[in-house]
Amino acid sequence: MVRKPDLGNIEASARKRLKLPMFLCAPVLAALLCANAPPSPADQFGDLFAAVQKEHVFADGKTFADAVPKRAPDAIMADYERAAPGSSAALRAFVLDNFVVPGVNDRPLPPLREHIRALWPQLERRTPNVPPGSSAITLPAPYVVPGGRFREIYYWDSYFTMLGLVADGRDDLVEGMLEDFSSLIERFGHIPNGTRTYYLSRSQPPFFALMLDLSRATDGTIRARRLAALRKEHNYWMAGEVCATTAEACKRVVRMPDGSVLNRYWDDRDTPRDESFAEDQATAAKASTRPTGEVFRNLRAGAESGWDFSSRWLSDPHDLSTIHATDVVPVDLNALIWAMEKRIEKGCRQAGDQPCTREFGQRATARKAAVQRFLWHAKQNRFADWIAPSSRPSKVVSSASLFPLFVGMATPAQAGAMAKATRSTLVADGGLRTTTVRTGQQWDAPNGWAPLQWVAVEGLRRYGHNALAQDIAARWIGTVNCTYLETGKMLEKYDVEERLPGGGGEYPLQDGFGWTNGVTAALLDRYPTLGPAATFQGCSPADRSGTTPRP
C-alpha cells in the first residue's frame, strides 16, 4: 500500500524552513513549493510588509514591494518582532534604516554643508515689481525666502538665514536684504511680519539691530541711513508709550506696576488673518464668551511673536481659543529691544549725536532694570514672561528665557542659573526643546527650532558655558543631519525628543528651509568637529559613518 504524503506536515515544515507567514494559504504554498519559486516581499516580510502597506508609508504600494533589504531578511524581521515601531514615522524610519527604497533613499546625497550652499540660489528671489492686485510688496534688492509655502521674505527668519549667508561668503545677499529692510522701514515705519500686504499690521521679533552687526558695509551714508531706519523702528515699538498707564497697556507698550516701560506683542487689526481666515474664525467661534475681535487680535499678536502658536500665549495650554498674547510681557521681545537701544546708543555716539546717545543710554538702562525686576523669577532662578493682568511670572518654561544671555543683559550668576535650568529641563536628545509641555502647538514640546538653538548656543558661550553650548549644538546638528540623510531635506522644525521631523501647527511641515540652513551652516563653522565625519547619536550605523545616506 502506497502511503499518501502528509501535506499538513510538509506545509508546516516548509513554513518553518522558509519562515513564511501564516496567512499564506496552502494552495499558494503548494504552488510555490512545486514551482520552487522564491518568496515574494509579502511572503518574506509578512507582518512588516503588511504594516508598511496598511499605513501607506509610501504613496505607491509598489515602492516598498521593490525595496532591497540592506542586510539579511531574518535579521531585519528579528529586530522588527523584538520592538515593532509604534507610529507611522517610526515605521518609516525603520524601513529606511533597513531597506534601499527606490526613489526615496537610493540616490547619494551631497554632504550637508554642500547641500546648504546649493540651496541659496534656489531660495533667492527678486520682486522689483508686482502685478496689479497682488498681495506682494516690492523690494529693491534680491533676498532669500524660507521656502515651501513661505514665498516672501520674513522678518526674524532672515537674521538666522543671514548667519548662513555670512558663513558661505554671500555678503551680497546680506547687504541686499539689509537694503530691503531699510526700504520697508522707510515706507511703512516698521518691518512687517513678511512682505505681503496682509502682514503690514504687525511686525515680528525685532532683529534688524542684530542684522546690522553682520554687515561689512563701511560707507558712511549707508550706515547713517540704517541708523535712521533703526531709530524709526524703535519709534514703532514705542508708539504706545504716551498712552500706556499702569492700569492699561497701549499698542505695544506696557507700563509696569512701578511705572517702568516694557513691551508686548500686538497687531493693529482685530480681524481674522487673511492667510488663516477660516482657522481664526473657527478658533473665535470656540471662545463663545469672548468678543471675537479680542480673539482675533490675540491670534495676530501671537503671529507677531513668531511663536504661532505656543502655550506661552494660552490660558489653557490645550485650547487655542484661550489665547491672551497681549497680556504677556515677553522676555525675548524685551531683550531684543534692549539690544536695539544699545546699538542706537552706540551708533549715535559714533555719529557725535550726544542727545541721542544720552536718551538711548538711559532707555537701555531703564529697560534692563525693569527686566531684572519683573522678568527674572528669583524663586525659580530663571527668566520668565510676565502676565500683566495678574502681575505674576508665567509658569511656562521656554527657550525664550535664554534671550537675555544671547544679548548680554543677564548677570553672570543669572547665566549660571539659566545654564543649570536649561540642562535639566530644556535639553533633549536631539537639541533644545521649545517648551516643556506638549500641547499640539508647534512652538511647544517636542519641537525644536533652529533660531532657538542659535540663541541658546551663543548665549551660553557668551557667559563661558562652552561645554553646554557645544553639547546643544552637537545634538541639534545630529538631528538635522540624520533627518537630512533620511529625507534629503532641510526642515522648518524638528522633533528633538525622537529626532524626527517636527509636527503640530496650522499647516504641514515645510522644507527649504532658510533659518535651518543658516543656523546649521553657522554652527558647523563654529564647531568644525560636528561635520559629516562626526558620530551622530540616533542615526543607523551606516549613517554614522557618513558613507551611506538615507533618503
Side-chain angles (χ1 to χ4, degrees), residues 125-470:
R125 300 287 186 275
R126 299 167 186 261
T127 51
N129 302 289
V130 299
S134 170
S135 63
I137 295 173
T138 60
L139 291 172
Y143 56 90
V144 173
V145 300
R149 74 195 291 264
F150 302 111
R151 295 175 285 272
E152 49 284 312
I153 195 172
Y154 282 79
Y155 184 3
W156 81 308
D157 294 60
S158 295
Y159 171 73
F160 301 97
T161 299
M162 288 177 179
L163 296 172
L165 293 172
V166 169
D168 285 337
R170 293 302 308 270
D171 294 310
D172 57 321
L173 278 173
V174 171
E175 299 301 332
M177 292 164 77
L178 289 173
E179 166 71 14
D180 290 332
F181 286 137
S182 298
S183 169
L184 289 167
I185 295 172
E186 289 164 353
R187 283 182 282 167
F188 304 112
H190 68 287
I191 299 172
N193 184 154
T195 48
R196 295 280 177 180
T197 55
Y198 50 79
Y199 287 141
L200 284 171
S201 59
R202 63 176 179 270
S203 186
Q204 270 195 331
F207 271 89
F208 184 59
L210 299 183
M211 291 178 188
L212 295 177
D213 291 350
L214 303 178
S215 172
R216 296 179 183 172
T218 57
D219 184 276
T221 302
I222 293 175
R223 293 170 68 90
R225 179 190 174 201
R226 290 175 179 174
L227 177 60
L230 189 59
R231 293 183 65 178
K232 193 170 185 177
E233 181 184 38
H234 187 269
N235 290 340
Y236 170 81
W237 285 97
M238 301 308 298
E241 192 171 14
V242 295
C243 50
T245 67
T246 54
E248 188 173 358
C250 183
K251 296 185 179 179
R252 292 167 177 81
V253 175
V254 179
R255 200 166 290 279
M256 304 301 284
D258 65 350
S260 59
V261 169
L262 290 175
N263 286 83
R264 66 174 177 175
Y265 290 112
W266 179 257
D267 191 296
D268 298 332
R269 301 186 64 167
D270 63 354
T271 56
R273 293 169 293 160
D274 289 39
E275 73 280 14
S276 300
F277 195 86
E279 293 88 342
D280 286 0
Q281 287 188 323
T283 299
K286 286 185 62 180
S288 57
T289 61
R290 299 176 68 187
T292 56
E294 177 184 307
V295 178
F296 295 146
R297 176 96 68 189
N298 278 277
L299 289 167
R300 286 172 168 271
E304 182 171 78
S305 78
W307 290 51
D308 43 344
F309 292 105
S310 169
S311 56
R312 290 178 69 191
W313 319 129
L314 307 181
S315 296
D316 178 347
H318 301 285
D319 185 353
L320 183 57
S321 71
T322 67
I323 189 167
H324 66 130
T326 60
D327 289 339
V328 181
V329 180
V331 63
D332 46 354
L333 173 60
N334 284 283
L336 290 171
I337 295 182
W338 179 82
M340 183 193 304
E341 290 167 344
K342 292 296 289 183
R343 280 155 181 78
I344 294 174
E345 178 191 12
K346 179 181 178 181
C348 288
R349 183 182 298 112
Q350 292 173 339
D353 186 340
Q354 292 308 311
C356 170
T357 303
R358 187 164 46 253
E359 175 191 349
F360 281 91
Q362 292 170 349
R363 283 186 175 277
T365 298
R367 185 177 298 275
K368 183 175 181 178
V371 167
Q372 292 289 342
R373 188 174 302 120
F374 295 103
L375 305 186
W376 173 249
H377 193 357
K379 290 183 179 179
Q380 295 188 13
N381 269 334
R382 66 182 179 92
F383 286 101
D385 300 328
W386 178 264
I387 310 300
S390 58
S391 293
R392 61 173 175 80
S394 171
K395 295 179 181 178
V396 177
V397 176
S398 80
S399 295
S401 60
L402 288 156
F403 271 73
L405 281 67
F406 175 59
V407 301
M409 71 187 307
T411 68
Q414 288 169 339
M418 282 303 310
K420 183 178 180 180
T422 298
R423 185 183 295 107
S424 64
T425 61
L426 291 171
V427 175
D429 284 348
L432 197 73
R433 295 180 180 91
T434 304
T435 70
T436 59
V437 294
R438 286 176 175 260
T439 64
Q441 299 299 335
Q442 62 177 350
W443 287 86
D444 281 314
N447 284 347
W449 295 76
L452 302 181
Q453 314 300 313
W454 181 259
V455 165
V457 168
E458 289 300 284
L460 291 164
R461 285 183 72 253
R462 178 189 283 270
Y463 287 88
H465 298 281
N466 299 313
L468 178 56
Q470 183 164 352

Side-chain angles (χ1 to χ4, degrees), residues 84-105:
S87 67
S88 293
L91 180 60
R92 178 183 175 89
F94 180 86
V95 169
L96 296 174
D97 274 341
N98 290 285
F99 294 84
V100 176
V101 182
V104 181
N105 65 344

Side-chain angles (χ1 to χ4, degrees), residues 447-527:
N447 284 347
W449 295 76
L452 302 181
Q453 314 300 313
W454 181 259
V455 165
V457 168
E458 289 300 284
L460 291 164
R461 285 183 72 253
R462 178 189 283 270
Y463 287 88
H465 298 281
N466 299 313
L468 178 56
Q470 183 164 352
D471 181 52
I472 292 171
R475 292 169 187 266
W476 174 256
I477 292 297
T479 297
V480 172
N481 186 68
C482 289
T483 307
Y484 166 64
L485 294 175
E486 181 178 299
T487 67
K489 298 176 181 179
M490 301 293 288
L491 302 177
E492 177 190 21
K493 57 183 180 275
Y494 297 82
D495 178 336
V496 295
E497 294 181 1
E498 299 294 333
R499 303 175 72 94
L500 295 169
E506 297 182 296
Y507 53 83
L509 181 64
Q510 302 295 301
D511 64 358
F513 196 87
W515 64 18
T516 304
N517 304 342
V519 168
T520 300
L523 286 176
L524 286 173
D525 271 17
R526 175 82 72 221
Y527 301 108

